[in-house]
Amino acid sequence: MAAATEDNWSLKDQIAKVFEASLKVTVPDEPEVAPLVTACAKKEFGDYQCNNAMSLWSKIKGKGTEFRGPQPVGQAIMRNLPTSDMIESCSIAGPGFVNVKLSTQWMAKSIQKMLKDGIDTWAPKLSVKRAIVDFSSPNIAKEMHVGHLRSTIIGDTLARMLEYSKVEVLRRNHVGDWGTQFGMLIEFLFEKFRDGEVSDQAIGDLEAFYKASKQRFDGDPEFKERAQQAVVSLQGGEEKYRKAWAQICEISRKGFGKVYQRLGVHLEEKGESFYNPYISGTFDLLREKGLIEESEGAQVIFIEGKKIPLIVVKRDGGFNYASTDLAALWYRINEEKAEWIIYLTDVGQREHFEMIFTAAKRAGWLPTDESKYPKTNHVGFGLVLGDDGKRFRTRSSEVVKLVDLLDEAKTRCKAALVERGKAAEWTAEELEHTAEAVGYGAVKYADLKNNRLTNYTFNFDQMLNDKGNTAVYLLYAHARICSIIRKSGKDIEELKKEGQLILEKEEERELGLHLLQFAEVVEDACTNLLPHVLCEYLYDLSEKFTSFYSECQVVGSAEETSRLLLCEATALVMRQCFYLLGITPVYKI
């Protein structure tokens, strides 16, 4: 995956650098040994652990080494560690594991430095400069439904994490805005609106319009023939047809915009039609390489290990998804100069993308070595299920419209706030803002906290619960921290300049260590394309804060200044997690 650069602020990376220096001295004849550093599973051993001794021993035994087993190797690694302010003590466990306990003073100084310099100083810095995230991608003339939820939410979070990691991200919405269905839609539009002029008010529900046109297409041979001719006219660039197509696309975009506005998601549309002019040139390049072959009247690319070839031109001479996807990939590598191209679709499309990527490797567009750039990844995800364990649908078996689902989350959230008397305490604007932040945040977090590869059950009662691993609980936890700082009456910005942070009690140290692990968690979630890793970190952070707050008095204690700074550091890291997850924080409850 995308490796971190040298100037990366990551606690694990900084410890690894210290061990790297030791390994060069310990085994000078093994220059390619990378330090294997991991957080300790049990805190009684220490904070971090270097696990190189065993694998090193298996490499060097029999080469005339002075060592007599893995433990002496571990002892030598520990002995050769350079002096470092960050390490308080080391110990050996088992067959040469080197356990490290960090200096509490160094930890406190590092957190205080972040408070002064800002959370951006803890951002991972990846070696990749430009990435494309292809996500959401609804079809024109169809409503965005719950099936688009995962692609949109997961894609936005991956884009945010990459952007935070100083990567230039091109957020691409590969909408389905081209194909044979447009002949049917355009011809139906001409029947309904003779002059071809249409507005979203006049057309009404675009999904119903699509279904009605499909019904005509399936049941009326004469209409079907006109629709097929309309495709030819559209693809030939005839103005009347292009104009009707553009109107249908624009009405759809307005519908999509309502969903994106609620979710706070920004994308740049480059739909199927954009890549259409590049298909023939792309195929010329593939033919030059001898990749496209004739098979049963279609043009295909045979992929090793796959029973069915990748069809790139259908028997009737028409193009398909593979045609567009190959042209898009060529364009993204050669015109947009992307080093990392990430596609978000359900797991069912994994094989399709594997075949596209294999074809691109055979064409020489992508390196065969997975560790080199440019590179591609298909980010698959499971289904959204209802309580019955089947695909989430309405009672009438219709797919659930995304805009309705989001509005219901907000409505339920607002009702809960009113029930708690907030309508009397807050302005109407505050009530509305909080209901949106918590309602939309709850929907997002309920999705993102699951490993994306698994299916999950959509349940409003669970996701809007203020207890357990939910956005509601986490947003309220953040608001409580803000309330503690407010109630102290102290100017937190002044405290950042003048105050000193000390991690004296065990709960303070544990919270401090977790805060310092933020950068490596973001890097892990980002490089492995797994947003749930960040959700786990955020929930653990709120739990560790609760343990700290129940054991350590903040306001009115002798350690008030230090503990307020620890509260502020926790709130800052929580807010950055919320931002990366696309969730708006709330400051009071």
Side-chain angles (χ1 to χ4, degrees):
M1 296 298 170
T5 58
E6 286 299 307
D7 58 346
N8 201 29
W9 199 103
S10 154
L11 184 51
K12 191 161 92 171
D13 283 2
Q14 292 196 51
I15 295 163
K17 278 176 192 168
V18 178
F19 276 99
E20 191 175 17
S22 169
L23 287 164
K24 280 176 183 169
V25 176
T26 307
V27 280
D29 298 333
E30 300 288 338
E32 297 303 308
V33 177
L36 303 171
V37 172
T38 182
C40 285
K42 293 181 179 175
K43 61 181 181 183
E44 57 264 29
F45 290 128
D47 300 317
Y48 281 82
Q49 191 176 70
C50 175
N51 300 329
N52 282 88
M54 289 271 284
S55 56
L56 256 182
W57 168 244
S58 65
K59 258 188 172 189
I60 61 176
K61 66 180 175 184
K63 288 187 182 179
T65 175
E66 62 185 276
F67 300 113
R68 292 291 170 266
Q71 196 173 63
V73 176
Q75 284 166 340
I77 293 169
M78 185 171 83
R79 201 168 47 247
N80 291 326
L81 280 170
T83 308
S84 169
D85 289 346
M86 71 191 300
I87 295 175
E88 188 175 289
S89 62
C90 291
S91 61
I92 292 285
F97 301 127
V98 184
N99 292 318
V100 171
K101 188 176 183 189
L102 295 170
S103 154
T104 305
Q105 198 176 0
W106 179 87
M107 286 166 63
K109 278 182 181 170
S110 298
I111 295 167
Q112 199 148 6
K113 189 173 188 321
M114 181 276 288
L115 282 171
K116 284 178 183 169
D117 299 344
I119 191 77
D120 280 359
T121 57
W122 279 6
K125 292 176 183 68
L126 305 183
S127 55
V128 64
K129 297 283 184 288
R130 179 182 288 178
I132 285 175
V133 183
D134 176 329
F135 67 108
S136 193
S137 310
N139 286 319
I140 293 289
K142 288 189 176 180
E143 288 265 9
M144 283 182 77
H145 55 78
V146 75
H148 295 109
L149 182 69
R150 300 207 77 181
S151 176
T152 307
I153 289 173
I154 298 167
D156 182 52
T157 291
L158 293 178
R160 285 169 182 261
M161 289 196 293
L162 285 163
E163 285 158 352
Y164 179 59
S165 306
K166 309 293 184 283
V167 177
E168 181 194 356
V169 179
L170 306 180
R171 294 159 160 260
R172 290 287 175 258
N173 200 1
H174 190 91
V175 297
D177 66 349
W178 203 245
T180 52
Q181 76 272 24
F182 280 96
M184 170 184 92
L185 288 162
I186 289 167
E187 203 52 46
F188 194 64
L189 185 140
F190 288 154
E191 274 192 2
K192 294 284 176 191
F193 308 94
R194 295 286 175 201
D195 58 358
E197 290 295 331
V198 65
S199 67
D200 46 352
Q201 286 83 18
I203 210 165
D205 185 338
L206 201 53
E207 186 110 9
F209 185 85
Y210 183 94
K211 284 176 184 171
S213 67
K214 182 81 170 77
Q215 213 169 354
R216 285 278 280 125
F217 185 84
D218 292 340
D220 183 340
E222 196 184 318
F223 177 85
K224 185 175 183 176
E225 201 176 313
R226 290 204 312 273
Q228 286 166 340
Q229 188 52 48
V231 176
V232 177
S233 301
L234 171 64
Q235 293 179 347
E238 212 171 303
E239 194 186 340
K240 177 185 170 186
Y241 290 86
R242 294 286 293 195
K243 188 180 175 187
W245 168 77
Q247 286 179 312
I248 292 167
C249 291
E250 193 49 43
I251 293 165
S252 270
R253 278 188 203 106
K254 285 179 184 172
F256 301 158
K258 288 174 186 174
V259 172
Y260 298 140
Q261 183 265 325
R262 284 163 174 76
L263 291 172
V265 170
H266 304 284
L267 295 112
E268 185 185 347
E269 186 184 307
K270 270 193 166 67
E272 290 172 10
S273 64
F274 178 84
Y275 302 105
N276 207 51
Y278 297 94
I279 293 175
S280 58
T282 302
F283 285 1
D284 287 345
L285 295 171
L286 293 169
R287 285 190 186 96
E288 279 170 26
K289 300 274 183 182
L291 294 185
I292 296 179
E293 299 176 46
E294 199 83 27
S295 176
E296 295 177 23
Q299 292 180 45
V300 305
I301 298 174
F302 286 99
I303 306 291
E304 199 179 330
K306 303 289 181 190
K307 289 176 184 172
I308 300 166
L310 184 68
I311 298 168
V312 295
V313 182
K314 296 184 288 186
R315 285 177 191 166
D316 63 4
F319 297 136
N320 58 8
Y321 286 131
S323 322
T324 311
D325 285 336
L326 283 165
L329 182 53
W330 179 88
Y331 183 88
R332 289 164 175 181
I333 294 167
N334 294 286
E335 296 294 327
E336 294 182 311
K337 309 292 183 195
E339 294 164 277
W340 194 8
I341 305 160
I342 299 161
Y343 294 80
L344 281 105
T345 73
D346 64 78
V347 287
Q349 292 189 49
R350 187 188 67 192
E351 189 170 47
H352 166 78
F353 281 103
E354 277 177 5
M355 291 171 87
I356 294 287
F357 301 158
T358 304
K361 283 172 188 167
R362 285 184 61 199
W365 304 346
L366 293 171
T368 50
D369 182 346
E370 296 281 329
S371 65
K372 291 189 175 154
Y373 297 107
K375 58 183 279 178
T376 53
N377 280 96
H378 174 247
V379 176
F381 48 82
L383 300 172
V384 182
L385 306 176
D387 289 326
D388 58 359
K390 296 175 183 171
R391 275 180 189 263
F392 188 48
R393 292 180 180 273
T394 63
R395 284 198 181 93
S396 59
S397 293
E398 292 285 322
V399 288
V400 180
K401 290 179 184 175
L402 202 37
V403 75
D404 294 344
L405 185 125
L406 293 167
D407 287 349
E408 187 173 348
K410 178 187 166 183
T411 302
R412 284 179 181 234
C413 210
K414 192 173 180 179
L417 290 166
V418 169
E419 203 176 303
R420 289 170 56 185
K422 298 300 170 188
E425 291 175 34
W426 296 350
T427 64
E429 197 180 339
E430 283 175 325
L431 188 67
E432 198 74 8
H433 173 76
T434 306
E436 281 182 4
V438 180
Y440 301 158
V443 172
K444 287 186 177 188
Y445 189 82
D447 189 310
L448 293 167
K449 74 175 181 180
N450 300 286
N451 184 319
R452 58 175 169 76
L453 292 166
T454 60
N455 299 337
Y456 82 96
T457 301
F458 191 97
N459 183 298
F460 274 123
D461 293 335
Q462 284 175 10
M463 65 177 63
L464 294 169
N465 196 330
D466 60 4
K467 292 174 182 66
N469 188 9
T470 67
V472 184
Y473 168 76
L474 293 165
L475 287 164
Y476 287 2
H478 171 262
R480 274 193 291 275
I481 298 170
C482 296
S483 170
I484 293 162
I485 296 167
R486 277 197 305 272
K487 281 176 183 170
S488 75
K490 298 287 165 63
D491 182 339
I492 199 72
E493 295 306 317
E494 281 304 309
L495 292 187
K496 284 183 196 177
K497 290 177 202 164
E498 309 297 332
Q500 190 184 358
L501 179 60
I502 301 161
L503 304 171
E504 204 168 292
K505 289 195 79 168
E506 184 55 39
E507 291 80 10
E508 291 174 304
R509 190 184 186 281
E510 211 170 306
L511 177 58
L513 177 62
H514 197 71
L515 289 169
L516 287 164
Q517 289 169 334
F518 169 71
E520 67 203 55
V521 169
V522 174
E523 189 182 320
D524 181 24
C526 198
T527 55
N528 294 311
L529 305 166
L530 293 170
H532 77 275
V533 170
L534 184 62
C535 295
E536 283 171 7
Y537 171 85
L538 176 56
Y539 181 65
D540 288 346
L541 177 58
S542 72
E543 294 287 273
K544 282 178 175 20
F545 181 84
T546 301
S547 300
F548 151 74
Y549 192 62
S550 61
E551 292 297 322
C552 306
Q553 184 190 340
V554 177
V555 179
S557 68
E559 302 86 358
E560 182 183 81
T561 296
S562 172
R563 287 175 181 171
L564 282 171
L565 288 171
L566 194 53
C567 286
E568 175 66 4
T570 305
L572 264 176
V573 171
M574 284 189 90
R575 282 200 287 278
Q576 192 59 35
C577 288
F578 287 141
Y579 175 77
L580 296 174
L581 298 169
I583 295 170
T584 305
V586 295
Y587 293 83
K588 61 180 187 177
I589 50 168

